[in-house]
Amino acid sequence: MKSKEIIEKSRRLARPYRVTNGKKFRLKDIDPGDTGEFSSDDKARFKEALQTGIDALAELQDVLYAQDRWAVLLIFQAMDAAGKDGTIKHVMSGVNPQGCQVSSFKGPTSEDLDHDYLWRCVKQLPERGRIGIFNRSYYEETLVVRVHPEFLAGQKLPEKCVTKHLWDDRFQDIRSFERYLHRNGTIVRKFFLHVSKDEQRKRFLERLDLPEKNWKFSANDAKERGFWGDYMKAYEETIRETATGNSPWYVVPADNKWFTRVIVAAAVIDALDALDLQYPKVGAAKKKELAEAKKVLLASK
């Protein structure tokens, strides 16, 4: 009963931020500071709810691993300082490490650039029974590469492949790829952690002021703020073009970390519950084998 209650609450929390049809989606309609019907007074309660959600997620992940039929791919995209690392760390803190794998994608290597843009991500897809997490992903190809055309020039594409339809082609490629994954037992859930420009500035300054956080900051972080408008346009079009019923986007307000983490956890719980997971059933032969093993163990000292 308790698990069912958590799952139902998770569904109600996450659904308002889910985008399955991008035609009417506009990024300006999402307030980065939104906390739904809750306020900062609920912060402590939400932290407790997150722990409860983590426990429920751990139970669902255990069944996912045991059943060994489905794979789950969680993709996180965001502007710098939106909280991707912290969200992944907190939400997945209770999951068995054997059933979870995290891949972080930085700038492509020379080897990556000698292949198609999906290649390096395909290599990191989760196995059946596991949750795979992409900290950034192939969506960088419709985001940072679009904002910085010079990166596209470094991909060594044949000239005839670089047409005015390039971005539409990539959106089509990604939709087809995610449909292929779904048809083969890998469900995809995508999260855009939507932080405001003001909140990003605040977090950058904190990283500069606190010695223990200096390592998180690079001069390029501040430079990229100059392209904020271009990034917002790229994110909006990317979400509009690649949000589907089988592979939805969750546009999660990210100015309040306590709220962001609960919404992400709720969305993952909802996704796992939709798979109707079951522990493998043991057949008659296996039951007989287990009974014999029990006899041996009971008779031993």
Side-chain angles (χ1 to χ4, degrees), residues 164-178:
K164 64 180 181 180
H165 303 297
L166 176 68
W167 306 115
D168 289 335
D169 290 344
R170 289 196 169 182
F171 290 139
Q172 184 178 13
D173 291 340
I174 289 171
R175 288 194 301 268
S176 297
F177 176 60
E178 291 178 350

Side-chain angles (χ1 to χ4, degrees), residues 131-178:
I131 298 174
I133 298 170
F134 282 3
N135 188 340
R136 302 194 188 280
S137 67
Y138 45 82
Y139 278 106
E140 294 293 285
E141 297 297 326
T142 65
L143 297 167
V144 66
V145 176
R146 193 167 189 179
V147 173
H148 295 287
E150 64 271 22
F151 293 160
L152 182 63
Q155 295 186 353
K156 299 189 289 185
L157 287 169
E159 288 185 15
K160 66 185 299 181
C161 294
V162 185
T163 72
K164 64 180 181 180
H165 303 297
L166 176 68
W167 306 115
D168 289 335
D169 290 344
R170 289 196 169 182
F171 290 139
Q172 184 178 13
D173 291 340
I174 289 171
R175 288 194 301 268
S176 297
F177 176 60
E178 291 178 350

Side-chain angles (χ1 to χ4, degrees), residues 249-264:
W249 277 96
Y250 286 84
V251 182
V252 186
D255 278 7
N256 296 281
K257 295 178 182 179
W258 56 272
F259 185 75
T260 305
R261 292 165 182 171
V262 168
I263 298 302
V264 171

Side-chain angles (χ1 to χ4, degrees), residues 55-111:
D55 294 341
L57 179 57
E59 291 179 16
L60 288 165
Q61 184 263 337
D62 189 64
V63 187
L64 175 78
Y65 186 76
Q67 189 181 50
D68 197 27
R69 289 291 182 269
W70 292 94
V72 178
L73 176 59
L74 308 177
I75 294 176
F76 289 86
Q77 295 286 159
M79 296 295 284
D80 291 319
K84 295 192 310 303
D85 292 352
T87 298
I88 293 169
K89 175 184 175 181
H90 284 81
V91 172
M92 307 306 292
S93 62
V95 172
N96 184 343
Q98 290 188 103
C100 184
Q101 53 204 64
V102 181
S103 302
S104 295
F105 295 97
K106 308 294 185 183
T109 66
S110 58
E111 183 183 19

